[in-house]
Amino acid sequence: MDCINIKFDEDINFHLLRHWSLYDSIYYTQDMILSFKLWSSRGLSQLKEFLADLGIPKREYEQNYRDMNIKYKLNIKKQILDKRLQDKYHYTTNTIILPTFLLSSGFTLKLSPLDIVDSLMSTLQTVSSSSSSSNSNSNSMMIDLTARFSYALSCLNYHQLDDYLNGIELEKTYTKKTHYLIETLLQSDKNLSFDNTIPFILLKFDQNMFNSSTTTEHTTSCGFFTHPYQAYLFARNALQILISYTSSSTNIVKKKKSKHLQRLPLILIAPYSSSSSGEELVEIVVGVPALNNIMMNSFSTLFEAADHRCGNVAKFVFFDHSVLLLQEQHQQKFIDALMFVLAK
């Protein structure tokens, strides 16, 4: 009989740490991306310097965290709390050290609540081929996530770790794709629209957004933004990184842009379902408040007002009305209405 142990601990809050190498875990952690500015070569060099200051050899931080030498693993938390390193690398421990509970059974994998949530959310977000085909034969704009919900529930069963681990692999895929999209965003402004005449940042992706990506396993372009929470999370992270990127630039024009961007909300428009079989593309629209107003999301009201103005063309099918579905033909009409509502 398994003896399950649940204990309180101050965990290291690096993304999927127990399922990745220490390097990859830090590299894909949003707070560390912002702290180290990991979109730059200087930031990547600083990350390696940081790992060296933690006293961890390259061969250790590049292998799976579970396989690392125990003496290095035990020393990580102590080193991270070192005030000297905090001052040198400009991070705060409250974003890295997380009070939480950990579950373990014998020598098996430790489970953390954050990892379980990531596994669940990625499982919910992933549309199976059977769901996609059944959706293409229906008139509904919604992708049927009932089966995904049932499957996601199994991730909570400690005796079905395979489902949980599959969700973790999906989360890795989505994390890499998110990273790829944001890198693309920083390298080119083709997906972005913002100036003094528009009261928001408009971020648009099309069905070809992953054409150059090397991480195409598990999910298609149109399967990436099927879950409202994940779409919102992506938009918020993109906004944070975009502002940090422009503010840290040595280019005076970009620095001025940063101050302007901090006052603007972001609207994400991305494919929700494919436009196969002659059907029109359905897009997901997400509203994220300005960075200095991140706790007050009034887009539910704004989206409803904009939709009313353009003839109720949107579909509010999610619990959160700051995320909606829209047929591609109505995109410009809705954006124009939203600009009018925001300008009032």
Side-chain angles (χ1 to χ4, degrees), residues 100-145:
T100 187
F101 290 90
L102 298 176
L103 183 149
S104 61
S105 176
F107 294 101
T108 59
L109 181 68
K110 285 184 179 179
L111 303 182
S112 76
L114 275 181
D115 288 348
I116 293 171
V117 168
D118 286 333
S119 176
L120 277 168
M121 295 307 297
S122 292
T123 302
L124 281 172
Q125 185 181 1
T126 305
V127 182
S128 63
S129 56
S130 59
S131 296
S132 299
S133 60
S134 64
N135 183 68
S136 63
N137 295 326
S138 71
N139 295 321
S140 173
M141 292 176 75
M142 278 295 292
I143 291 174
D144 182 13
L145 297 181

Side-chain angles (χ1 to χ4, degrees), residues 28 125 173-192 203-215 220-225 230-231 234-235 237-238 241-242 268-271:
Y28 289 114
Q125 185 181 1
T173 298
Y174 285 120
T175 300
K176 289 176 182 177
K177 282 179 171 286
T178 295
H179 192 268
Y180 168 80
L181 283 182
I182 292 177
E183 271 196 341
T184 303
L185 181 64
L186 298 181
Q187 291 167 8
S188 169
D189 286 347
K190 69 175 184 176
N191 297 307
L192 273 175
L203 174 57
K204 291 199 292 187
F205 291 107
D206 59 26
Q207 293 188 84
N208 301 315
M209 58 187 172
F210 291 125
N211 273 5
S212 304
S213 176
T214 56
T215 58
T220 63
S221 295
C222 291
F224 187 73
F225 289 111
Q230 296 286 46
F234 169 84
N237 288 351
I241 291 175
L242 178 64
L268 167 69
I269 300 178

Side-chain angles (χ1 to χ4, degrees), residues 306-314 326-340:
D307 182 47
H308 180 70
R309 182 172 177 80
C310 58
N312 301 316
V313 295
L326 193 69
Q327 287 184 326
E328 188 180 29
Q329 63 174 315
H330 300 307
Q331 181 194 121
Q332 192 56 52
K333 187 195 299 184
F334 181 80
I335 291 298
D336 291 342
L338 185 60
M339 287 176 63
F340 178 84

Side-chain angles (χ1 to χ4, degrees), residues 65-81:
Y65 177 77
R66 281 180 292 168
D67 299 326
M68 278 180 62
N69 189 309
I70 189 67
K71 73 175 183 180
Y72 296 117
K73 290 165 76 170
L74 292 174
N75 200 39
I76 291 175
K77 193 187 299 181
K78 178 184 174 183
Q79 291 292 87
I80 286 173
L81 292 170

